Every structure is written in C-alpha cells, then in structure tokens.
Amino acid sequence: MAKTFKRKGSPYYWAEGYGPDGSRWRESTKQKNKRRAQVVAESIEQRRILAARDSCSLAVAFEMLRQFKAANGRSKSTMEILRLKAMNVMTFFGAGTDVNAIDKQAASEYMMHRLTSGVSKSTVKKELRELRQALDRARDAGMYHADARDMWPDGLVNVGTVKSRVLSEDEAFAVLRLLPERWRDHFLCYLYLGVRRSELYRIFGRDVKLW
C-alpha cells in the first residue's frame, strides 16, 4: 500500500510505493492535507499498477521467454543462443522499449541494421524469431496486443525456407539401389515403418509380432 511522507523543501505530501516489478516509485500528491494526500497516493498506486499491466518491456518479454524455455527443459546451449540473440535485439531497440511499439517497420529497420553490419539474413531471421516468441509470451500474459506474425519483414519471408516433397516409389527404390548394402535394410525400415533412426535403434525382437 502506498504511503505518504513530507519531503524536505516541498509544501506537499509525497506518495511512495513499489511497482509490480519491485521497483520503488515516488510522486507528489500535490496535497497539503495528509488525509487527502493518502487518498491521492492510493489513486497514484492504482494508476501505476494498471499502467504496468498494459505495458511490457522487451527485457520482461525475453525473461518470460527464458522462463518458458527453462520450464520446458531446453538445453544450456539453447538458452545461451536465446541470451545472445536477445542481447542483439535489445541493444538495437533498448531493453526498456514497450513491446507494443515494435511493428513491421521497426522490425524491418532492425533487419537492415543487422544486414549492413555484415550479418547474414539467416542469422537475422533467427534473431527475429526469438523476438517473435518473446512477443507471443507477452501476448499470453495480456501485455502485447497485436499478432507477432504481422511484424515479420517482407525481406525475410522466404529466407531459409526448404521446399520438400515425398519421393515417388520409383525415386525411393532408385535411392535404395545407390545406397551401400549395409544401409539398405535400414532404409527399407524407414520407408515402410515411418520411424526415425533413434526409434529404429530402440526396437528389439520382443517388440515385433509376426502373424
């Protein structure tokens, strides 16, 4: 709860309290009467709480993403990649920037800044992907009010996109014929069972039933 106090050199009572993030704030109530000053102090506190709920800094958004990834058991290397990419993003925009101020134009400016610094488009895409995930976390918390997909720069839409299709039967058997003999049984298992290599290696005789 906000408290009031007399500040040296001021004729008014001042309000003091702590925000949702733990930071202390002080603000003049513009009141000389202590009882009225307390009412104003409580009003100031409520205004600050509501403002904090409606806004979110980049630093807070990335921290929410970090906690989300940590809770889902992401590796240390993944967390380190997040830290480095978040640092690059916050160096450009500012750690205290409101996430709602980041739009497509801002993201495009970031892309151009990084490209002129000699960074590849693939790297920029990865950095903005972390930013988009951070914005998604902020949105889930009710602090980001747009769709993070809308801020994606046009220049990165098709970067790193791999076009793939399923091989035809003739193509699959053409690959089979080119493989070393020791890998052909593996390939047939992948082809007909649809398993990954790690899954195939975990199959034992007791797991196979022949009718």
Side-chain angles (χ1 to χ4, degrees), residues 173-191:
F173 279 99
V175 172
L176 180 65
R177 287 192 295 271
L178 294 172
L179 287 173
E181 187 174 352
R182 67 179 183 276
W183 289 110
R184 291 177 184 175
D185 289 340
H186 289 72
F187 184 79
L188 286 172
C189 288
Y190 301 147
L191 186 64

Side-chain angles (χ1 to χ4, degrees), residues 71-181:
N72 283 275
R74 297 301 175 88
S75 65
K76 289 183 178 180
S77 60
T78 297
M79 302 303 290
E80 178 62 13
I81 289 172
L82 168 62
R83 186 187 70 81
L84 294 173
K85 300 207 178 306
M87 182 175 64
N88 288 331
V89 173
M90 290 191 288
T91 297
F92 179 81
F93 289 111
T97 297
D98 190 326
V99 292
N100 292 288
I102 300 176
D103 54 15
K104 188 171 185 176
Q105 180 179 346
S108 297
E109 291 174 357
Y110 176 81
M111 177 189 71
M112 294 306 300
H113 167 74
R114 295 292 283 156
L115 291 177
T116 54
S117 300
V119 178
S120 68
K121 279 191 173 183
S122 177
T123 296
V124 178
K125 181 176 182 178
K126 292 174 183 176
E127 292 172 350
L128 288 178
R129 186 168 55 201
E130 297 288 357
L131 170 60
R132 187 167 67 181
Q133 291 176 6
L135 295 179
D136 286 338
R137 299 277 71 78
R139 186 179 184 184
D140 290 344
M143 298 178 179
Y144 178 65
H145 313 302
D147 188 333
R149 293 174 295 183
D150 295 337
M151 68 90 185
W152 200 255
D154 293 333
L156 296 178
V157 171
N158 295 317
V159 174
T161 301
V162 178
K163 295 183 179 180
S164 61
R165 64 178 178 83
V166 177
L167 294 177
S168 67
E169 185 176 3
D170 289 340
E171 290 171 332
F173 279 99
V175 172
L176 180 65
R177 287 192 295 271
L178 294 172
L179 287 173
E181 187 174 352

Side-chain angles (χ1 to χ4, degrees), residues 207-211:
D207 300 319
V208 180
K209 293 183 180 179
L210 298 175
W211 288 274

